[in-house]
Amino acid sequence: MHPTPPSYTIDLRSDTVTKPSQAMCAAMADAAVGDDVHGEDPTVNELEATVAELLETEAALFVPLGTMGNQIAARVHADRGDEVLVERESHIYKWELGGLAQHAGLQVRTVDGGSRGVVTPESIAEGYVEADSHRAGTGLVCLENTHNSKGGTAISADEMDAAARAAHERNVPVHVDGARLFNAAAALDVEAARLVREADSVMCCLSKGLGAPVGSMLAGTESFIEKARRVRKLFGGGMRQAGVLAAPGLLALENRDRLADDHENARALAAGLASIDGLSVADPETNIVMSEPATPVERFVDACAAHGVNCGPFGEGRVRFCTHFGVSREDVETAVEAIAGI
């Protein structure tokens, strides 16, 4: 017998599967709107001002999704043909369809961030290429926090600062892919702004753990955001009455404090999975739990789904589980019991 009813599935594939709350849906229905391409949507304007203040930047821009925010930043910061220095398993390099080459005309040079995906001053010094008559040179450094492929590692403010300063010493701008930046802030017990203090731009998602149905933010200087707004239009991201999307985004920002609950649930999930024979589980730092089953990954994932638990293959024999506000502690316990029965 399945430990969960067939009609009920515990979805741990990603924190992107969350559904908007009733309050978010109500806010969407009641949002004051205007044409955002003309800068006339009051709800979008409020959201952008709120995020800029939160991240202590001069300005911010609402974009449909994090990938677009990252790609806009790369297009604004660097010239075509430049090299962009990234961690070798970073999202912007590994999971964004070669956008750095397609959208910005950039060449990618990777560095190894070790088991936690930390880009160090030494790796930047080693990867940096000075422009000359034969080489385009390094035009951008991209950092990621939390680091998705490394299991949601929360990279400290000092480590972020050190990498950014190493880039700036070489006159190279720094962009931070902070899709789960607020998870890192919660795990490290610091303000999100502190983690990106030395960066030239940062992208953060309002969806994922914060629970908005759509949307990410790109933040930086006023001049950067002015250019980014033009590139957003070029990329097809110029939205009209976008306040219906910005309104739940404002409410999502209020969910920052509860991310610690997701992290606690992730630790409980990891401990439960680690007690099951045939599963190797890494200790989570935030809301992502990485596991290596002894059986083939696809077979394991299919078996979990048949027992009412959705998880996702993550390459190299790994399976990823993500906790989020749609998953309770009871769900975690039920998931562990179901997987133990496979």
Side-chain angles (χ1 to χ4, degrees):
M1 178 181 292
H2 292 182
T4 54
S7 61
Y8 179 63
T9 297
I10 300 169
D11 200 339
L12 296 166
R13 289 173 299 167
S14 174
D15 45 11
T16 61
V17 302
T18 56
K19 302 293 192 298
S21 64
Q22 290 184 348
M24 288 181 181
C25 293
M28 295 170 73
D30 296 336
V33 298
D35 192 329
D36 181 49
V37 173
H38 294 296
E40 297 173 355
D41 191 298
T43 309
V44 172
N45 293 344
E46 180 184 357
L47 176 61
E48 291 175 344
T50 299
V51 170
E53 181 178 3
L54 186 63
L55 297 180
E56 298 179 7
T57 61
E58 293 180 1
L61 181 69
F62 184 45
V63 295
L65 69 165
T67 294
M68 180 179 285
N70 285 337
Q71 297 300 323
I72 290 172
R75 179 66 176 257
V76 171
H77 281 308
D79 294 328
R80 289 188 175 276
D82 282 352
E83 289 192 1
V84 52
L85 206 59
V86 301
E87 205 284 322
R88 67 184 182 90
E89 290 193 55
S90 61
H91 191 281
I92 197 170
Y93 170 59
K94 191 174 181 180
W95 304 110
E96 297 187 12
L97 291 171
L100 293 169
Q102 296 200 70
H103 299 309
L106 301 179
Q107 305 178 83
V108 173
R109 183 178 294 272
T110 62
V111 299
D112 186 353
S115 62
R116 299 183 65 251
V118 179
V119 176
T120 64
E122 293 75 18
S123 61
I124 288 177
E126 181 179 352
Y128 171 74
V129 173
E130 186 170 357
D132 59 24
S133 58
H134 300 284
R135 307 186 71 178
T138 304
L140 178 64
V141 168
C142 291
L143 308 176
E144 184 176 339
N145 201 5
T146 65
H147 196 299
N148 179 24
S149 289
K150 297 298 185 178
T153 50
I155 300 171
S156 72
D158 288 343
E159 290 169 319
M160 297 291 289
D161 288 350
R165 288 169 183 162
H168 290 158
E169 287 170 2
R170 295 163 175 82
N171 297 314
V172 177
V174 174
H175 171 67
V176 174
D177 174 356
R180 295 180 176 87
L181 180 68
F182 296 112
N183 287 94
L188 297 167
D189 195 24
V190 299
E191 295 296 329
R194 176 63 189 88
L195 296 175
V196 296
R197 184 174 66 184
E198 299 291 335
D200 298 282
S201 63
V202 55
M203 182 281 294
C204 61
C205 288
L206 301 172
S207 55
K208 299 186 171 71
L210 297 184
V214 176
S216 293
M217 304 301 299
L218 183 61
T221 64
E222 288 184 358
S223 61
F224 169 81
I225 292 299
E226 182 179 356
K227 295 173 184 176
R229 194 175 297 276
R230 287 174 54 84
V231 177
R232 183 186 69 172
K233 174 75 170 182
L234 173 66
F235 286 178
M239 298 175 285
R240 300 299 178 177
Q241 287 70 34
V244 294
L245 300 178
L250 282 165
L251 292 179
L253 292 172
E254 299 175 7
N255 288 332
R256 303 193 310 278
D257 291 340
R258 59 147 306 281
L259 292 174
D261 296 338
D262 293 343
H263 300 172
E264 186 176 345
N265 283 339
R267 289 189 291 271
L269 176 63
L273 294 177
S275 69
I276 301 172
D277 289 340
L279 283 180
S280 173
V281 184
D283 292 334
E285 296 187 24
T286 53
N287 69 318
I288 297 175
V289 178
M290 290 294 194
S291 174
E292 295 184 9
T295 56
V297 165
E298 294 294 341
R299 180 181 176 188
F300 175 79
V301 170
D302 289 345
C304 286
H307 283 69
V309 180
N310 283 349
C311 53
F314 213 69
E316 300 175 356
R318 297 183 301 170
V319 174
R320 187 180 77 164
F321 299 84
C322 283
T323 56
H324 48 81
F325 76 76
V327 175
S328 67
R329 178 57 66 89
E330 182 181 0
D331 289 333
V332 167
E333 294 169 356
T334 301
V336 170
E337 181 182 353
I339 294 171
I342 297 175

